[in-house]
Amino acid sequence: MSNSQVTLISPALSPALREARFDDGGGGLDAAGVRAARSAAARLPLADRTAASPSARCRLTAEALGLSAPGAPALASLDVGRWRGLTLAEVTATEPDAVAAWLTDPAAAPHGGETVRELCARAGAWLEETGRTPGRTIAVTEPDVVRALLVSALGLPEPAFWRLDVRPLTAVELSGRAGRWNLRVGTPLAADS
C-alpha cells in the first residue's frame, strides 16, 4: 500500500484567535494574517488534493495561500454550543466549574455542543479516509482540529488534546497510511512564525 502525506495548516491570525474567542466560524482574517499567508504560499509543498475547514478564517487562509480548497465539514472546529462568540475569559468568569470540567474530561460538553472525544473521532475518521489515497493532501484547518487529528493519528490519550499547542500558520505533517501515521512537527510557513 502506498503512503499518504497529509499537511495540516493552521489558519493565519484572526481577531478571534488573538482574543481566545470561541469563534462562530464567520470571523475572517485581519490584514496582517492575510499578508502572512500570502508570503507563506511559496513555501507550500505541491498537493494532489486540498481541503479546508468551513470557517471563514480557514477558507480565507487557503485562498491567501493560493489553494483552491473545498470545504470539508469533518474539519470544522469543535462545536462549543452556547459558548460560541464568547472569550474563554468570559466563560471562565461566569461558569468556572463548567470550564474546569470541559478542560479535564474529554466526554464533557457543558456548553451543549460537541465533546473533545467526538471531535477526535470525527477528525480521525476524516484522516483514515484521506489516508486510503496515496499522494499529498493539504488541509487548512482549525488549531483544535489539528490537535484532534494528532490525538487520533498517534493514538494519544484524549487528555493530551489540551497539551498540544498549534501556532497560527504552521504546518504539521503526517505520513503513512490509514491506521499508521508518523508525525513531522510544526513547520513554520510564515517568515515571522
Side-chain angles (χ1 to χ4, degrees):
M1 174 178 270
S2 296
N3 277 0
S4 292
Q5 297 85 36
V6 178
T7 301
L8 306 168
I9 300 174
S10 56
L13 270 175
S14 67
L17 286 174
R18 286 184 202 280
E19 299 167 358
R21 182 173 301 281
F22 295 111
D23 196 15
D24 64 3
L29 302 177
D30 56 23
V34 172
R35 281 192 306 275
R38 285 183 180 151
S39 74
R43 289 184 288 285
L44 286 181
L46 295 177
D48 299 298
R49 292 163 301 286
T50 59
S53 166
S55 72
R57 68 178 163 223
C58 286
R59 289 190 326 269
L60 291 170
T61 297
E63 183 180 298
L65 288 168
L67 300 173
S68 175
L75 297 177
S77 189
L78 179 78
D79 176 2
V80 292
R82 61 188 166 75
W83 293 353
R84 188 174 298 118
L86 301 173
T87 66
L88 181 58
E90 290 168 338
V91 176
T92 300
T94 59
E95 301 181 55
D97 293 339
V99 171
W102 181 62
L103 293 173
T104 57
D105 181 0
H111 43 62
E114 186 176 30
T115 68
V116 167
R117 178 169 292 155
E118 291 166 337
L119 173 62
C120 291
R122 170 170 52 87
W126 176 87
L127 182 62
E128 291 307 296
E129 179 64 29
T130 300
R132 291 187 182 100
T133 305
R136 181 179 303 276
T137 300
I138 294 179
V140 180
T141 191
E142 301 292 345
D144 59 342
V145 176
V146 173
R147 294 194 319 250
L149 286 162
L150 291 174
V151 166
S152 178
L154 301 176
L156 299 173
E158 290 167 340
F161 175 89
W162 296 111
R163 305 297 302 235
L164 300 169
D165 289 331
V166 179
R167 293 182 48 86
L169 207 56
T170 56
V172 174
E173 297 181 55
L174 295 168
S175 65
R177 59 186 178 279
R180 188 191 179 289
W181 293 98
N182 295 319
L183 171 66
R184 183 176 186 188
V185 180
T187 305
L189 293 175
D192 60 350
S193 287

